[in-house]
Amino acid sequence: ELLEEFQNFKLLSEKLKNFKETKIKPVMLLIKIRKNNLADKKKKFMANSQEYTKVLNREQELKTIEKDINRRLKEYEMNYYTKPITKYKSLTTSLKFYEVLNQITLILHVKADEATLFEIKNHIYNLKAIGRSEDFINIEDAKIVKLYEGDCDVDSQLSTYISYEDVKDENIYPKSKDSQDINGTKYYLNKNYEIKNGQRDFVKKKVLYTSYRAIDDTSENIFIDNEDENEYIVNFI
């Protein structure tokens, strides 16, 4: 039924286009010609004469007819095509190809006030996708943890984004592997945004994407999550 309705809307679109070309356009052209003729006639009469007033009234009648035709056409198109078809605006009518992510394990640490953290924890299993709607996820566990602060000697081989400023300040550093320096790739990530002039204005953070990193002390944005058998370096961006 929905497919048939959508097809009918597309047929109506073609009919409206044809109606405008074969019916409305000739009428509007005729009105334009007559208005031009009347404009020429007005020049032949005195502004206060009976003939001038008669031509002026006819000119106003044609303008009213022109406006009425445009109004009625616009209302019909809005009520029977433009508004109803908007529910199909996300419908894909051609083949598209997507990269589907799978076999990926994500460990996310979120920093927020206590109320927000409990709100996330209580509703986390309602989350079905991250980012794109086709990137389905399966929540394995969610808990509130207390992060460790202090002296440590921790390294990690998990791929992650780390703050470029913390790398530059040597609070966290890429680690060597097999006598080779492992650095990473620099990116600018969108962190949050404000609405300005009707558009989203993002705050971008410079980060380094790397697989090997280490710390020997926690700092303002760097902590350790050691509440289970593993130790995770947590770097808030």
Side-chain angles (χ1 to χ4, degrees), residues 161-174:
Y161 295 99
I162 58 178
S163 169
Y164 185 80
E165 292 300 319
D166 283 322
V167 174
K168 188 173 66 173
D169 294 340
E170 298 184 349
N171 294 325
I172 185 171
Y173 48 91

Side-chain angles (χ1 to χ4, degrees), residues 14 45 58 98 104 116-117 146 154-155 177 203 231:
E14 293 297 323
F45 304 115
R58 180 56 181 162
Y98 293 94
I104 295 175
T116 302
L117 290 177
K146 183 174 179 59
V154 178
D155 59 17
K177 178 185 178 184
V203 175
E231 289 184 315

Side-chain angles (χ1 to χ4, degrees), residues 184-201:
T185 304
K186 287 184 289 186
Y187 289 98
Y188 281 95
L189 294 184
N190 293 329
K191 180 175 174 62
N192 51 4
Y193 65 86
E194 295 180 358
I195 301 296
K196 295 183 179 179
N197 299 321
Q199 295 184 338
R200 293 184 296 179
D201 183 27

